[in-house]
Amino acid sequence: MTTQIKRIGVLTGGGDCPGLNAVIRAVTKTAIWKHGIEVVGIEDGFQGLIEDRVRPLAARDVSGILTRGGTILGSNNRCNPRRYCVRVDPVTGPVWENVTDRCVDTARRHGLDAIIVIGGDGTMASAAPLVEAGVNIIGVPKTIDNDIVGTEITFGFLTAVNTATDALDKLHSTADSHHRVMVCEVMGRNAGWIGLTAGVASGSDIILLPEIPFDLEHVCENIDFRMKKGPGFAIIVASEGARPREGQQVVDRIDPTSPDPIRLGGIGRWVADEIAKRTGVETRSSALGHIQRGGGPIPADRILATHFGYHAIKTLMEGKKGRMVVRQGNVFGDVDLLHAAGKQRLVPVNHPLIEAARAIGTGFGDGKTPEPAAHAEPMGSVVV
Ligand code: F6P
């Protein structure tokens, strides 16, 4: 199918992640060099569309940014055109307005035939009113959380896993030296992909996921075994969205001006304090926080981001509208963007990696991993 695309915009929305610049580069170069399309960059996500902050992007503007962290366009995770905080009233709080028309006007004023929106589920939800208003949007799935519906992977995730695994490896040696329990809190919102993947990659002993509410009794039994009959230290990964069976997620902050106001954080510290109290074992906690979002992308993410950027333009040039590029079964394709908007892809509790982890004795705090004490020789014993 031929299509009349002459000029497009590109924006990055939501929390930043490694690989955003690699996508911007791939989108811009493919558009300009392969199709002769003009590209403009929209600054700070949808904020730039609302405030008409748009600048031309030439191929030279995206040269050398493949390896750079962050986004040259800026981003914003508090900006949904349908529900936009125009000001905060000192008495009544945030005042919301639907500013979709302002975004549509900016797109028209700049003659944009389409906008490539690089973002997570919140950004896709923010794009929805524009799609409904007739603006052609092609989404590219981004987030360290890897929780976007419709794609098996998002760029940024593998770099975050790499960062978390590196941190866990470092915690391993200090836990060993001091015979301590180390709890490391990782990001991911309501999804445990980072916790599960970095936990297995680092050989952590217990992994606490939002998808598997944990029981502190089981966690402490496991610690007790490792301290008395095992190596004398333990590493626990706690996803920020993890919660005890009878409890709630720990909220770090509420941002009233954001359409998605809850910011999780603090479960790692809580788990560490409880373990110390219940077992008497010296326990420390570290929260990796935004370190997981920073820095340049690892090679796998540079490649994924380049594929996604190229496929976004390919999808557009096939005449498609309102699509999000995805990878499924290692094959690139596209799905209805509205299908991904505002949803989260959680870790299935029977995920093969969870099964493999349980088989090698990794606990998930739910008592379902076979107790090592039940069938193993104490570590350090000599089996003749
Ligand atoms: O969605 C990406 C993410 O880093 C989450 O893992 C985390 O919960 C959240 O964003 C933090 O948001 P903020 O940057 O607003 O603190």
Side-chain angles (χ1 to χ4, degrees):
M1 190 188 288
T2 53
T3 181
Q4 290 299 309
I5 304 286
K6 293 194 163 49
R7 194 171 157 86
I8 61 168
V10 54
L11 68 79
T12 51
D16 69 345
C17 83
L20 283 167
N21 284 325
V23 178
I24 295 170
R25 170 180 175 269
V27 162
T28 305
K29 288 191 170 180
T30 307
I32 296 174
W33 286 344
K34 191 166 163 59
H35 301 287
I37 297 170
E38 273 181 60
V39 184
V40 298
I42 298 160
E43 294 175 353
D44 298 332
F46 287 99
Q47 192 84 38
L49 267 188
I50 296 166
E51 296 172 355
D52 194 0
R53 285 191 280 116
V54 170
R55 63 173 198 251
L57 274 187
R60 68 176 169 280
D61 295 321
V62 297
S63 186
I65 66 170
L66 171 66
T67 60
R68 263 169 69 181
T71 159
I72 59 164
L73 295 176
S75 195
N76 184 322
N77 65 359
R78 281 185 282 108
C79 197
N80 183 332
R82 200 173 347 231
R83 188 174 151 77
Y84 177 64
C85 176
V86 282
R87 64 191 166 83
V88 179
D89 184 284
V91 181
T92 56
V95 178
W96 306 95
E97 260 179 38
N98 184 340
V99 294
T100 305
D101 286 353
R102 272 155 74 175
C103 297
V104 174
D105 287 349
T106 304
R108 294 223 173 101
R109 201 173 306 121
H110 291 273
L112 303 184
D113 298 310
I115 302 177
I116 308 297
V117 168
I118 310 169
D121 63 288
T123 305
M124 297 309 153
S126 299
L130 297 184
V131 173
E132 286 155 13
V135 179
N136 188 9
I137 305 272
I138 302 292
V140 178
K142 158 246 67 159
T143 171
I144 62 165
D145 304 338
N146 199 30
D147 63 350
I148 302 188
V149 171
T151 185
E152 66 192 0
I153 193 155
T154 57
F155 70 90
F157 167 65
L158 291 173
T159 303
V161 167
N162 200 57
T163 302
T165 304
D166 187 44
L168 285 159
D169 290 349
K170 289 182 171 136
L171 289 174
H172 225 103
S173 61
T174 174
D176 192 0
S177 311
H178 286 268
H179 318 297
R180 283 174 172 165
V181 174
M182 287 285 181
V183 182
C184 179
E185 181 180 303
V186 298
M187 279 186 164
R189 284 197 306 173
N190 300 314
W193 295 107
I194 299 176
L196 173 63
T197 314
V200 173
S202 60
S204 293
D205 306 300
I206 301 174
I207 302 174
L208 304 179
L209 304 177
E211 294 85 351
I212 305 178
F214 62 87
D215 186 335
L216 271 170
E217 288 291 313
H218 293 306
V219 173
C220 291
E221 275 166 22
N222 201 331
I223 298 295
D224 210 47
F225 173 81
R226 285 189 63 84
M227 296 311 289
K228 293 189 181 135
K229 297 184 184 151
F233 70 91
I235 305 286
I236 302 180
V237 185
S239 294
E240 63 180 0
R243 65 175 175 87
R245 252 181 212 158
E246 312 300 336
Q248 302 292 319
Q249 288 180 321
V250 181
V251 174
D252 174 43
R253 259 174 326 109
I254 300 215
D255 180 349
T257 65
S258 168
D260 181 14
I262 293 185
R263 298 292 181 274
L264 298 170
I267 186 70
R269 179 66 193 265
W270 183 82
V271 167
D273 288 349
E274 284 297 316
I275 289 172
K277 206 162 63 190
R278 291 171 185 231
T279 64
V281 178
E282 213 179 0
T283 305
R284 297 284 188 270
S285 72
S286 308
L288 296 186
H290 293 79
I291 290 168
Q292 294 156 101
R293 292 223 310 246
I298 62 169
D301 268 332
R302 296 177 197 179
I303 291 162
L304 184 60
T306 302
H307 266 302
F308 274 147
Y310 160 71
H311 275 273
I313 298 300
K314 184 168 176 275
T315 304
L316 183 64
M317 297 314 285
E318 283 167 359
K320 295 182 181 171
K321 292 187 160 93
R323 308 295 290 175
M324 181 182 76
V325 293
V326 297
R327 200 186 81 184
Q328 279 297 0
N330 226 10
V331 174
F332 289 89
D334 54 273
V335 295
D336 183 349
L337 181 142
L338 300 181
H339 169 68
K343 300 187 193 120
Q344 288 169 14
R345 188 178 70 97
L346 305 182
V347 179
V349 293
N350 60 352
H351 191 280
L353 194 53
I354 295 181
E355 282 177 24
R358 287 196 198 277
I360 58 169
T362 309
F364 287 86
D366 60 352
K368 288 191 184 156
T369 296
E371 278 299 326
H375 52 69
E377 287 295 323
M379 281 195 191
S381 69
V382 179
V383 182
V384 188

